[in-house]
Amino acid sequence: MSIRPILVTGGAGFIGSNFVLQWIAAEPEPVVNLDKLTYAGNTSNLSAVSGDPRHVFVRADIGDTETVGRLLHQHKPRAVVNFAAESHVDRSIHGPAEFIRTNVVGTFDLLEATRIYWSALPEDERRDFRFVHVSSDEVYGSLGPGDPAFTESSAYAPNSPYAASKAASDHLVRAYHHTYGLPAITTNCSNNYGPFQFPEKLIPLVIHNACAGKPLPVYGDGTNVRDWLYVGDHCAAVRLILRKGRVGETYNIGGRSEKTNLEVVRAVCAILDEIRPDPLIAQRSSLITFVTDRPGHDRRYAMDTRKIESELAWKPRERFGTGLRKTVEWYLDNAKWVDGVTSGDYRKWVATNYASRI
Ligand code: NAD
Ligand code: DAU
């Protein structure tokens, strides 16, 4: 029997491209990679697999059910892994409509196309099929300083339009499993960092600005807490869930690495001061600038990851200190990539987001 591919959506974005690269390096099955190539998607992330016959890239929208249906019937994947989304909280505050279109309606369209394909498969292939939906810890809302970490049974309480759109998509996935029996699994992960992250997100933005001697914008008082996970560890968790995760379940993924935003920014500055000293700025942390807070800014996220650790024997391999150093080095070594993505839309975004804050 021929080996069947997996269909990855959003595989030209930050986590999706890391996943595709890791998958091609580690797994036997080919990848059909469907991505709309919004501002956040970049085919150069995939240059390492561009000539590989096991990687097929298709530019399309997850909401284009005709194209998705055709791809499913043509390639007969044994799984769909859905990374495609609008992912930036601040953008969801400035313009929520696209988040509803892609994250809610697009996920619905993808589920529907997948259900039609899956229903027509022979019995054994229906049983073995998987739909893995990649979601966020933000669906659970915000924690106080002493609260226990989110578990898989924490109530959903999304606070931003982004988080609400991801929560809605999670509910749709749950309903498709419950009602139609689609063999779906949802993952809820904490903040990722690593190569290929678009420099609108905190860590790459700070690296980019610090190298240019620009202000490092910290929202509010910088004491909001996020749990940081190296992107390769997230990808490994999704691979494991695809292989061994229980259908109908959700799995929390996190780094057990809670940091305040100020700690993160200072850590980036310290690494840069050491490996790329700037004679004009003795300490990059002097560039830290407190700016108006994000509206509705969630105070703290933390993930209880005991389920994936005990059921699937997953745990993060990278520590924050080493992962952050690798990440800073990657951005320094890939200035061309950064230049390529920080034109056009990026400049407009920086002007829109930060002009009103400072
Ligand atoms: P990203 O914004 O870097 O990439 C998203 C990708 O999806 C891009 O390549 C984009 O072109 C594509 N895309 C957007 N709309 C599309 C559409 N309608 N059809 C097809 N493709 C489309 O996002 P990311 O940070 O890589 O996040 C990937 C997934 O992981 C998202 O679902 C996000 O909610 C989730 N997630 C992200 C994090 C994080 O820290 N970045 C943490 C937990 C969960
Ligand atoms: O928790 C998982 C989520 O992590 C994912 O679901 C999202 O897709 C991803 O974007 C990320 O969301 P955050 O809002 O936590 O990430 P961001 O990098 O935008 O911000 C991290 C923290 O840093 C947050 O508390 C806001 C703050 N921040 C961010 C930016 C861009 C600043 O202080 N200054 C900034 O300029």
Side-chain angles (χ1 to χ4, degrees):
M1 204 181 81
S2 69
I3 191 162
R4 288 168 56 213
I6 62 164
L7 174 68
V8 173
T9 72
F14 163 47
I15 306 174
S17 63
N18 276 284
F19 179 83
V20 168
L21 298 182
Q22 190 181 99
W23 182 276
I24 293 290
E27 304 280 351
E29 294 122 324
V31 172
V32 180
N33 184 351
L34 178 153
D35 195 296
K36 185 179 173 182
L37 296 183
T38 67
Y39 77 94
N42 197 330
T43 49
S44 74
N45 300 4
L46 300 159
S47 57
V49 293
S50 65
D52 194 317
R54 292 196 302 131
H55 177 246
V56 177
F57 182 80
V58 182
R59 184 176 192 182
D61 191 316
I62 52 168
D64 176 354
T65 43
E66 205 182 303
T67 302
V68 174
R70 184 171 46 74
L71 286 173
L72 289 168
H73 284 92
Q74 182 186 344
H75 294 282
K76 306 214 175 321
R78 67 145 183 106
V80 171
V81 186
N82 182 29
F83 291 96
E86 289 293 333
S87 69
H88 191 35
V89 173
D90 293 317
R91 284 185 191 254
S92 84
I93 294 167
H94 286 280
E98 206 50 42
F99 287 71
I100 304 307
R101 269 193 283 276
T102 284
N103 300 1
V104 185
V105 183
T107 304
F108 161 71
D109 288 331
L110 181 68
L111 280 165
E112 196 50 11
T114 305
R115 182 180 71 81
I116 291 165
Y117 160 73
W118 166 79
S119 319
L121 290 174
E123 171 94 38
D124 55 335
E125 291 179 24
R126 274 164 55 91
R127 189 197 55 226
D128 294 342
F129 186 82
R130 294 290 179 271
F131 183 99
V132 175
H133 176 61
V134 177
S135 190
S136 169
D137 58 1
E138 302 204 7
V139 299
Y140 298 123
S142 183
L143 294 168
D147 289 341
F150 299 123
T151 70
E152 285 79 0
S153 50
S154 295
Y156 271 35
N159 288 320
S160 70
Y162 162 72
S165 70
K166 292 300 289 186
S169 67
D170 294 7
H171 290 323
L172 285 166
V173 173
R174 176 191 157 89
Y176 268 66
H177 169 67
H178 188 80
T179 304
Y180 304 112
L182 185 74
I185 302 173
T186 295
T187 64
N188 295 94
C189 189
S190 65
N191 284 61
N192 284 215
Y193 67 100
F196 301 119
Q197 187 168 33
F198 197 77
E200 64 188 350
K201 308 279 165 63
L202 181 67
I203 288 178
L205 177 99
V206 165
I207 298 171
H208 182 59
N209 283 14
C211 288
K214 289 187 186 158
L216 311 178
V218 171
Y219 298 167
D221 62 4
T223 59
N224 301 65
V225 172
R226 297 292 182 266
D227 167 23
W228 292 95
L229 179 69
Y230 191 68
V231 64
D233 283 324
H234 184 189
C235 297
V238 174
R239 285 201 290 127
L240 199 55
I241 283 164
L242 191 49
R243 206 170 333 119
K244 293 194 194 153
R246 281 186 297 137
V247 160
E249 295 290 318
T250 67
Y251 290 92
N252 283 356
I253 306 169
R256 289 181 181 252
S257 178
E258 287 185 55
K259 308 269 172 234
T260 65
N261 293 338
L262 260 182
E263 284 173 324
V264 170
V265 175
R266 287 188 179 129
V268 170
C269 290
I271 295 169
L272 280 171
D273 289 344
E274 181 197 326
I275 64 177
R276 183 68 64 89
D278 183 337
L280 298 176
I281 314 163
Q283 291 198 322
R284 253 68 165 230
S285 56
S286 65
L287 298 169
I288 290 174
T289 307
F290 293 96
V291 300
T292 308
D293 209 353
R294 173 186 280 175
H297 196 176
D298 283 339
R299 199 73 227 155
R300 172 178 167 240
Y301 306 137
M303 289 301 245
D304 183 329
T305 52
R306 280 176 294 179
K307 181 173 173 180
I308 186 170
E309 286 170 15
S310 64
E311 273 189 25
L312 305 181
W314 174 87
K315 65 173 180 349
R317 296 174 67 163
E318 196 69 59
R319 288 191 2 261
F320 184 71
T322 52
L324 191 65
R325 184 172 285 264
K326 277 205 309 211
T327 303
V328 173
E329 283 167 355
W330 186 88
Y331 279 89
L332 294 180
D333 292 345
N334 289 276
K336 253 175 126 174
W337 182 91
V338 178
D339 286 348
V341 301
T342 51
S343 55
D345 182 84
Y346 179 78
R347 295 216 183 98
K348 270 192 266 159
W349 165 249
V350 169
T352 310
N353 189 48
Y354 296 99
S356 59
R357 292 185 192 280
I358 299 171

